[in-house]
């Protein structure tokens, strides 16, 4: 192989199987001359440098991606039949036409299969295909590793950039704005309440207030009351057990505010003059618990206010008094159970776990167990199954605790 009588097809087969057989395609003396020829080595280096420089220059220009794609596409091609034919002629020391065979020579140079002596452009020098194949394989492996690393980074990059993109969308409209920082949420609420002129509605399903929170809320709401703003606040029924919250409610009730408590859970919101509202976040999964949305869309704000009114209608008035510790006797309408107890009994009848019931009602398991014990004593039931059975026979299961009418209740 590599003799003057070899055909071009034999040269192609030699290159394709060189890595497996170790066969050389170029004459030994010619290959040695190629590696020892100073001008040829310089030319090969200059060609590689020029190619790299051209690619780097293209990457810095406006058509970087197009040039890179073209370069990668050209490098990924196999040798054309014309290039294989020219390589065979080079190994046979046949003259080459630099003009007519320029395209094929360019392919061979990119593959590292030939170099050209500038003094003898019609006599390119053939290089060892095994060595060229190893270099090409190394280049392809490096390129594959770089692309694999980029592919592995794509999900993380898109997540990072997606957060900025989503926040830009959230802030781009006039309907609502996402507030992720606690300081920003508090400052925005203080500013909005400070400009309230007619009405302030707050629904606070969280835990008991701290002393600092009480002082801040008392100053803010007190200033609103002094301007003639109508203030109504809704709490969970468990708030009646907290001394700090009771003191706050008593103080603000004396200044004209109104409070009610509800047994079942509800959503947190602040509505100012039915023109803007603040609600908890249910969009951003990774957002902290204090994150909020500042809503200015009139239709959405009106809907939030109506949800508040619905909860207000079914809630019990509260003036800061604690829960009564005395046993409950039958009321004027003959009922013996409280709304909280009826909610517990309804969940028991449906087979809902007590843990889920406590979570829905916003109370602890200990408080729920205390109510269940009181119910067993009230119905004379020794087991939970018997309590459920007695409740199913009781007329109190027919009590309708829904809002009495769909219209807006007066405070």
């Amino acid at each position: 192989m590599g003799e003057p009588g070899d055909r071009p097809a034999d040269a192609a087969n030699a290159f394709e199987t060189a890595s497996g057989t170790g066969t050389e395609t170029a004459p030994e003396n010619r290959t040695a001359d190629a590696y020892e020829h100073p001008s040829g080595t310089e030319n090969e280096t200059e060609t590689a440098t020029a190619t790299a420089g051209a690619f780097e220059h293209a990457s810095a220009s406006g058509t970087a991606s197009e040039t890179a794609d073209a370069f990668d596409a050209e490098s990924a091609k196999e040798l054309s039949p014309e290039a294989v034919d020219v390589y065979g002629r080079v190994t046979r020391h046949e003259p080459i036409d630099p003009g007519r065979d320029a395209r094929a020579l360019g392919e061979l140079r990119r593959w590292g299969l030939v170099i050209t002596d500038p003094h003898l452009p019609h006599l390119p020098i053939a290089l060892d295909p095994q060595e060229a194949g190893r270099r090409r394989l190394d280049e392809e492996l490096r390129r594959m590793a770089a692309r694999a690393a980029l592919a592995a980074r794509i999900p993380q990059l898109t997540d990072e950039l997606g957060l900025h993109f989503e926040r830009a969308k959230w802030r781009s409209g006039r309907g609502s704005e996402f507030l992720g920082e606690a300081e920003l949420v508090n400052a925005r609420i203080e500013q909005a309440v400070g400009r309230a002129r007619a009405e302030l509605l707050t629904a606070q399903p969280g835990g008991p207030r701290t002393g600092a929170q009480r002082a801040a809320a008392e100053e803010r709401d007190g200033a609103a009351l002094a301007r003639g703003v109508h203030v109504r606040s809704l709490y969970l029924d468990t708030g009646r057990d907290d001394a700090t919250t009771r003191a706050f409610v008593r103080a603000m009730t004396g200044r004209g505010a109104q409070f009610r408590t509800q047994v079942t859970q509800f959503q947190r919101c602040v509505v100012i003059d039915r023109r803007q509202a603040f609600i908890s976040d249910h969009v951003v999964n990774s957002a902290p618990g204090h994150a909020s949305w500042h809503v200015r869309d009139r239709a959405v704000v009106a809907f939030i206010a109506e949800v508040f009114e619905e909860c207000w209608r079914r809630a019990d008035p509260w003036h800061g008094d604690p829960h009564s510790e005395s046993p409950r006797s039958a009321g004027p309408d003959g009922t013996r159970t409280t709304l909280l107890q009826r909610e517990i009994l309804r969940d028991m009848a449906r087979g809902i776990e007590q843990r889920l019931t406590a979570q829905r009602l916003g109370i602890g398991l200990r408080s729920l167990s205390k109510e269940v014990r009181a119910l067993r004593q009230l119905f004379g039931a020794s087991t939970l199954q018997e309590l459920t059975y007695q409740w199913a026979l009781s007329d109190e299961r027919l009590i309708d605790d829904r809002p009495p009418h769909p219209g807006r209740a007066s405070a």
Side-chain angles (χ1 to χ4, degrees):
M1 187 173 296
E3 296 299 327
D6 286 347
R7 295 171 297 170
D10 295 333
N13 292 333
F15 180 75
E16 292 174 355
T17 60
S19 59
T21 61
T23 305
E24 297 181 2
T25 62
E28 205 172 46
N29 58 347
R30 189 66 172 167
T31 305
D33 292 342
Y35 282 107
E36 295 172 2
H37 201 292
S39 60
T41 304
E42 292 173 1
N43 260 296
E44 182 183 14
T45 305
E46 291 172 0
T47 301
T49 305
T51 304
F55 180 69
E56 291 173 359
H57 176 72
S59 299
S61 68
T63 59
S65 60
E66 296 177 4
T67 306
D69 291 342
F71 184 84
D72 289 342
E74 191 68 25
S75 300
K77 291 181 180 178
E78 295 184 8
L79 281 177
S80 66
E82 293 79 10
V84 175
D85 178 69
V86 170
Y87 184 81
R89 288 158 52 194
V90 171
T91 60
R92 296 191 297 270
H93 311 293
E94 297 178 5
I96 302 297
D97 186 342
R100 185 185 63 186
D101 300 323
R103 183 183 181 87
L105 286 172
E107 288 186 56
L108 295 174
R109 280 194 293 266
R110 282 193 296 273
W111 277 76
L113 289 168
V114 299
I115 57 175
T116 305
D117 188 340
H119 302 292
L120 301 171
H122 61 289
L123 291 176
I125 302 171
L127 301 178
D128 185 357
Q130 292 189 44
E131 182 65 26
R134 284 192 291 269
R135 287 198 300 268
R136 184 59 180 268
L137 180 60
D138 290 342
E139 292 174 5
E140 292 297 330
L141 291 175
R142 284 194 295 269
R143 186 178 293 111
M144 291 171 59
R147 290 187 178 276
L150 174 60
R153 278 276 296 162
I154 287 176
Q156 181 179 353
L157 288 171
T158 54
D159 287 345
E160 293 175 1
L161 298 177
L163 182 59
H164 296 290
F165 180 73
E166 291 298 327
R167 283 183 172 177
K169 288 198 303 183
W170 297 333
R171 291 180 169 86
S172 62
R174 300 183 61 184
S176 59
E177 179 183 0
F178 177 72
L179 308 175
E181 294 77 19
E183 295 79 8
L184 180 59
V185 174
N186 293 333
R188 192 69 64 83
I189 292 177
E190 291 288 340
Q191 182 184 38
V193 174
R195 296 176 179 176
R197 291 296 177 265
E199 184 182 51
L200 172 62
L201 311 176
T202 63
Q204 303 290 345
R209 289 180 180 270
T210 64
Q213 290 174 334
R214 173 195 168 183
E218 191 168 346
E219 179 180 358
R220 181 196 66 196
D221 295 356
L225 288 167
R227 295 194 306 271
V229 176
H230 189 128
V231 178
R232 286 186 288 160
S233 298
L234 184 65
Y235 288 89
L236 280 174
D237 191 68
T238 52
R240 295 174 181 253
D241 297 325
D242 180 65
T244 301
T245 306
R246 289 201 305 267
F248 169 76
V249 171
R250 285 195 298 268
M252 298 307 294
T253 299
R255 301 170 69 173
Q258 297 184 25
F259 297 87
R260 290 190 181 186
T261 61
Q262 180 174 299
V263 172
T264 56
Q265 189 65 255
F266 52 87
Q267 292 295 321
R268 176 183 288 105
C269 71
V270 177
V271 183
I272 300 98
D273 292 341
R274 298 183 185 257
R275 292 181 175 271
Q276 54 182 322
F278 296 86
I279 58 176
S280 299
D281 170 65
H282 296 283
V283 177
V284 187
N285 295 329
S286 59
H290 56 254
S292 301
W293 287 82
H294 187 184
V295 183
R296 298 183 181 87
D297 186 276
R298 293 293 296 275
V300 178
V301 173
F303 179 82
I304 296 170
E306 187 56 35
V307 172
F308 176 90
E309 293 290 356
E310 183 178 348
C311 293
W312 184 263
R313 286 191 291 268
R314 71 176 64 186
D316 298 321
W318 186 31
H319 305 287
D321 51 299
H323 277 130
S324 176
E325 299 296 334
S326 59
R328 174 180 288 270
S329 59
D333 55 356
T335 59
R336 299 181 300 166
T337 56
T338 66
L339 176 58
L340 173 63
Q341 291 173 338
R342 289 194 293 275
E343 290 288 342
I344 294 173
L345 288 168
R346 289 179 184 124
D347 279 7
M348 289 178 59
R350 297 188 187 101
I352 298 175
E353 295 181 18
Q354 291 188 359
R355 173 181 58 84
L356 299 178
T357 299
Q359 183 178 357
R360 181 177 71 87
L361 299 177
I363 61 176
L365 280 174
R366 182 177 300 178
S367 298
L368 188 141
S369 299
K370 180 180 177 182
E371 294 292 342
V372 171
R373 286 195 300 270
L375 287 168
R376 286 172 57 182
Q377 181 179 1
L378 182 64
F379 283 91
S382 57
T383 64
L384 294 179
Q385 290 79 5
E386 184 179 355
L387 174 59
T388 305
Y389 177 74
Q390 293 292 341
W391 162 251
L393 297 178
S394 172
D395 291 338
E396 295 195 22
R397 67 181 175 82
L398 302 176
I399 296 176
D400 188 358
D401 290 318
R402 292 176 300 177
H405 54 80
R408 181 176 299 172
S410 58

